[in-house]
Amino acid sequence: MAADIALQRVAGARGRGGAVGDFLFHHLTFLFALLVLLILGGVIVALVEGALPALRTFGIGFLFSDVWNPVTEKFGALAPIYGTLVTSAIAMLVGIPVAFGVAVFITEICPIWLKRPLATMIELLAAIPSIIYGIWGLFVFAPFVQQYIQPNLIDSLGQIPGFGALFAGPPLGIGVLTAGFILAIMVLPFISSIMRDVFETVPAILKESAYGLGATRSEVVRQIVLPYTRIGVVGGIMLGLGRALGETMAVTFVLGHAHRISISILQPGTTISASLANEFTEAVGDLYLSSLIALGFILFVITFIVLAIAKLMLLRLQRRAGG
Amino acid sequence: MNVFRTALLGLTASAVIGFGALAAEISGAGATFPYPIYAKWAEAYAAKTGLKMNYQSIGSGGGIKQITSKTVDFGASDMPLKPADLEKDGLTQFPMVMGGVVPVINVPGITAGQLKLDGNVLADIYLGKITKWNDPAIAALNSGLKLPDLAIAPVYRSDGSGTTFIFTHYLSEVSPEWKDKVGENTSVQFPSGIGGKGNEGVSAMASRTVGAIGYVEYAYAKQNKLTYALLRNKDGEFVSPAGSAFGAAAANADWSKTQDFYLLLTNQPGKESWPITGATFILLHKQQTRPEVAREVINFFDWAYLNGGKLADDLDYVPMPENVVKLVEQSWQQIKGPDGKAVWTGRSS
């Protein structure tokens, strides 16, 4: 009924010069959309052009070499690529379960009066600038990790033969694990707020019916809520992953910036974005600068692949769900 | 609300004045290390002459890029350019102000100025060859000091910086192995250790990791009262880092024989010389299209040489010694206008 009235109103507007407005509106929006494409294309062209000298010099080996030596001008991207993927993986490993728990608590279990303040606070986490996370990470969180978490990890998990290599070495405070933790905190609000939004779209009648059949809360979440919302959940996770991959400032502070690949996640490493932030300003020499731009291009490609996989997964899920 | 409006008005007004007085402004870009003192000088100079100096501390690499493409009137770099590179881009350079790099340590029971190190030991620590504080090589330099059986954690600058350049240049100078394996640059591939971002990152890491050693700018070590170590200089004396020790290094250096002031002040002779001293440089085009602007730029730096010493001291930078300033003033004669005449012919007042 309301829709009918709205339609009538639009039709009325049309009668008075609506055609011109429509024409303008149509072309203006098209122009904006085109602008986005142009900017994206421009960025790609600029990155490829800037990266060409490095790619021409090192060839495909650029991707598989972990040497990063500004003195001899030998560069390889393997260490930053590895660091980017590992820190993001840790962030996802820690962040997803927590975000999921938060979202379930807020939508299913939380008393009404606590719901709004809690949700707002979690969303406020997303509003903290990443440089603040970096400084907090360096001065507050890293000492905590160094004193309490890392010694325990080294003494317990670090003693397991084989697997223990992941937790070997002195407790330095900063390193891959700390960076992963910080990233987990940073992506948490993104993932949890999307999960919460989609959880709330589950029709009450479905949940009520399940409860009526005697299902427990965890059964309802696992068998009603999750299947109903999986597309949104995957979307939220991918959004978080995208942020973790590209996050720069916070990681730069707590990662220790070493162009080395260590098996132990307690050791320093580097990511693509941290390398750029650390080295771009003082990079003298064409090949050095070009290698850094090539790193930027690789990050672009990685992010693109992640988004593409996310889209494909969503498509497949949609098809399987028959939607 | 009123305050806000006044501020806004002031901002608009200054923007208008800024555009109106475009001629009375010189611009530069480059190194971050000297930024505090350049800003201080610019403030004092503007109060005296009305000429504004706008300096963007975007890093040496950016400074070199901008002066090469002539988007600024002068560039600034912590790393001197090689004479061949200067020639290629038609640039000239001169040292403006100095600072020193200081090793800081965190070893239980050892206070500032107690531990003695030399260049080779420092290089071996950063090479990962000396891994314990009670290593015989350290003990040999420190008879009487009780050194713990503690692992050494070397900390370096993760971001590219002039500090790293001066430090690695010194290590290359004293240790052939360092020169061979690592070399010198604003950032290098450190064989061991962990990186901290900026002076504050290094000092945070060093002060909370037991057994750490790091290197920071002198001003930073002094203002934050970090535990520094003594270093043995070329003459075999152990010196502590101080303005006078950096000055001695610069005064004892032989500037007259160098081309384009391509001289690094590390490992200079003299009993009092601090071995890891470095200068930061200004870059100018030799061929100027706007001689009046170039003259203003040079006037500014000449004023800073003459009157900026006190301000530099306050911020723990070290002014250039007089004999060096004389040589720099001579070198300015090669900066020429379109008419082929030198743009700067001596102090105007």
Side-chain angles (χ1 to χ4, degrees):
Chain A
M1 198 59 200
D4 283 357
I5 294 169
L7 266 180
Q8 276 167 12
R9 210 178 284 151
V10 170
R14 226 180 215 189
R16 302 188 298 273
V20 177
D22 213 27
F23 178 82
L24 274 180
F25 187 71
H26 176 87
H27 281 81
L28 210 59
T29 47
F30 175 69
L31 204 72
F32 290 156
L34 201 67
L35 201 65
V36 172
L37 280 183
L38 277 179
I39 292 173
L40 187 71
V43 169
I44 295 176
V45 168
L47 279 176
V48 171
E49 200 192 352
L52 262 185
L55 297 179
R56 217 176 268 146
T57 311
F58 304 116
I60 193 77
F62 186 71
L63 289 175
F64 304 108
S65 159
D66 68 340
V67 175
W68 187 268
N69 194 333
V71 180
T72 55
E73 297 216 303
K74 293 263 183 304
F75 301 101
L78 193 62
I81 292 175
Y82 174 82
T84 305
L85 297 179
V86 171
T87 49
S88 297
I90 295 173
M92 289 296 119
L93 226 57
V94 178
I96 293 173
V98 177
F100 178 71
V102 167
V104 169
F105 179 77
I106 290 179
T107 50
E108 305 294 327
I109 303 166
C110 184
I112 299 284
W113 60 269
L114 189 62
K115 218 171 185 171
R116 194 141 285 279
L118 198 64
T120 312
M121 266 189 276
I122 295 204
E123 267 159 32
L124 272 181
L125 272 184
I128 299 175
S130 65
I131 182 93
I132 305 290
Y133 277 110
I135 294 171
W136 174 79
L138 178 64
F139 288 108
V140 182
F141 188 63
F144 174 79
V145 172
Q146 183 177 23
Q147 263 190 310
Y148 300 106
I149 297 182
Q150 288 184 340
N152 288 327
L153 281 178
I154 293 166
D155 290 342
S156 54
L157 294 176
Q159 303 308 317
I160 303 169
F163 180 73
L166 275 176
F167 300 96
L172 291 164
I174 62 181
V176 174
L177 182 68
T178 312
F181 276 149
I182 298 267
L183 282 179
I185 300 172
M186 293 181 76
V187 299
L188 182 98
F190 288 85
I191 302 180
S192 84
S193 66
I194 287 183
M195 281 187 180
R196 189 172 58 91
D197 284 349
V198 296
F199 285 173
E200 269 167 4
T201 62
V202 179
I205 192 162
L206 280 182
K207 288 193 280 186
E208 295 301 326
S209 320
Y211 284 127
L213 289 171
T216 62
R217 269 199 177 122
S218 79
E219 279 168 346
V220 170
V221 169
R222 265 185 293 132
Q223 290 172 11
I224 308 291
V225 176
L226 263 189
Y228 191 85
T229 58
R230 57 188 160 196
I231 291 171
V233 168
V234 171
I237 290 172
M238 286 300 164
L239 192 74
L241 181 58
R243 180 163 164 86
L245 285 170
E247 174 48 43
T248 308
M249 230 45 228
V251 175
T252 305
F253 273 86
V254 296
L255 196 47
H257 198 60
H259 279 280
R260 294 191 288 267
I261 296 177
S262 321
I263 295 176
S264 168
I265 57 171
L266 304 187
Q267 293 302 304
T270 189
T271 68
I272 292 174
S273 50
S275 293
L276 291 175
N278 269 317
E279 297 179 37
F280 211 83
T281 49
E282 297 282 341
V284 181
D286 293 339
L287 203 55
Y288 193 2
L289 210 58
S290 169
S291 299
L292 285 171
I293 296 173
L295 277 187
F297 181 63
I298 292 171
L299 181 61
F300 192 92
V301 173
I302 292 177
T303 319
F304 179 78
I305 291 173
V306 166
L307 287 177
I309 291 175
K311 263 270 159 352
L312 281 177
M313 275 170 77
L314 290 181
L315 273 180
R316 191 179 289 176
L317 278 173
Q318 261 167 335
R319 208 169 297 146
R320 206 188 302 158
Chain B
M1 198 60 210
N2 237 339
V3 177
F4 179 71
R5 194 186 295 164
T6 320
L8 203 69
L9 263 177
L11 214 66
T12 330
S14 64
V16 170
I17 292 169
F19 274 112
L22 209 59
E25 185 167 313
I26 53 176
S27 66
T32 48
F33 160 65
Y35 171 67
I37 183 62
Y38 290 175
K40 216 50 181 180
W41 281 341
E43 196 187 321
Y45 193 68
K48 190 174 157 282
T49 63
L51 183 95
K52 284 214 180 75
M53 196 271 270
N54 170 21
Y55 183 74
Q56 313 156 17
S57 61
I58 53 172
S60 301
I64 294 168
K65 271 223 152 59
Q66 292 221 357
I67 185 66
T68 311
S69 59
K70 299 191 181 175
T71 50
V72 288
D73 301 323
F74 69 89
S77 171
D78 285 335
M79 186 158 86
L81 295 189
K82 295 209 169 64
D85 290 332
L86 287 171
E87 191 62 43
K88 194 180 74 197
D89 293 317
L91 295 170
T92 177
Q93 72 187 355
F94 54 89
M96 197 57 225
V97 66
M98 296 183 296
V101 178
V102 176
V104 294
I105 54 163
N106 178 358
V107 186
I110 295 180
T111 56
Q114 277 191 335
L115 187 78
K116 294 171 183 167
L117 294 172
D118 68 9
N120 267 316
V121 168
L122 207 53
D124 283 350
I125 288 175
Y126 273 90
L127 279 169
K129 281 167 71 187
I130 296 179
T131 55
K132 292 266 184 186
W133 280 108
N134 61 355
D135 190 279
I138 304 178
L141 297 171
N142 293 281
S143 52
L145 203 61
K146 202 177 160 343
L147 294 162
D149 178 19
L150 182 70
I152 303 179
V155 184
Y156 54 84
R157 281 283 290 269
S158 65
D159 48 337
S161 79
T163 311
T164 298
F165 171 68
I166 294 167
F167 186 70
T168 53
H169 179 81
Y170 169 66
L171 295 184
S172 301
E173 194 112 304
V174 293
S175 160
E177 190 179 349
W178 181 273
K179 187 173 188 161
D180 191 43
K181 280 193 180 154
V182 185
E184 60 193 63
N185 207 320
T186 50
S187 59
V188 300
Q189 192 165 29
F190 281 95
S192 72
I194 187 161
K197 183 162 168 52
N199 282 303
E200 64 283 356
V202 170
S203 83
M205 275 309 295
S207 59
R208 88 166 172 256
T209 308
V210 176
I213 183 167
Y215 60 91
V216 294
E217 277 154 22
Y218 167 65
Y220 198 85
K222 190 181 169 194
Q223 285 153 16
N224 293 286
K225 302 195 172 54
L226 301 176
T227 309
Y228 61 86
L230 304 184
L231 272 180
R232 177 145 64 182
N233 64 19
K234 202 172 186 176
D235 283 19
E237 301 284 333
F238 286 100
V239 283
S240 53
S244 57
F246 308 141
N252 288 325
D254 191 359
W255 294 89
S256 57
K257 286 209 191 73
T258 60
Q259 195 191 348
D260 294 314
F261 298 98
Y262 186 79
L263 174 64
L264 290 135
L265 296 171
T266 53
N267 210 25
Q268 291 298 327
K271 271 189 170 10
E272 284 151 25
S273 301
W274 177 255
I276 325 181
T277 305
T280 180
F281 292 79
I282 298 290
L283 301 164
L284 292 175
H285 277 284
K286 277 190 208 163
Q287 191 59 50
Q288 296 283 345
T289 46
R290 294 187 303 164
E292 66 284 353
V293 176
R295 194 174 304 127
E296 292 296 350
V297 172
I298 296 175
N299 272 338
F300 170 77
F301 287 115
D302 192 48
W303 172 89
Y305 276 140
L306 203 63
N307 307 299
K310 172 81 179 64
L311 287 173
D313 277 339
D314 289 348
L315 291 174
D316 295 310
Y317 292 90
V318 183
M320 299 308 296
E322 209 163 323
N323 58 341
V324 181
V325 174
K326 286 251 153 53
L327 289 169
V328 171
E329 284 176 347
Q330 280 168 28
S331 83
W332 286 340
Q333 299 307 319
Q334 53 180 327
I335 300 170
K336 299 207 162 78
D339 54 358
K341 286 193 190 131
V343 298
W344 192 83
T345 48
R347 251 162 231 161
S348 43
S349 56

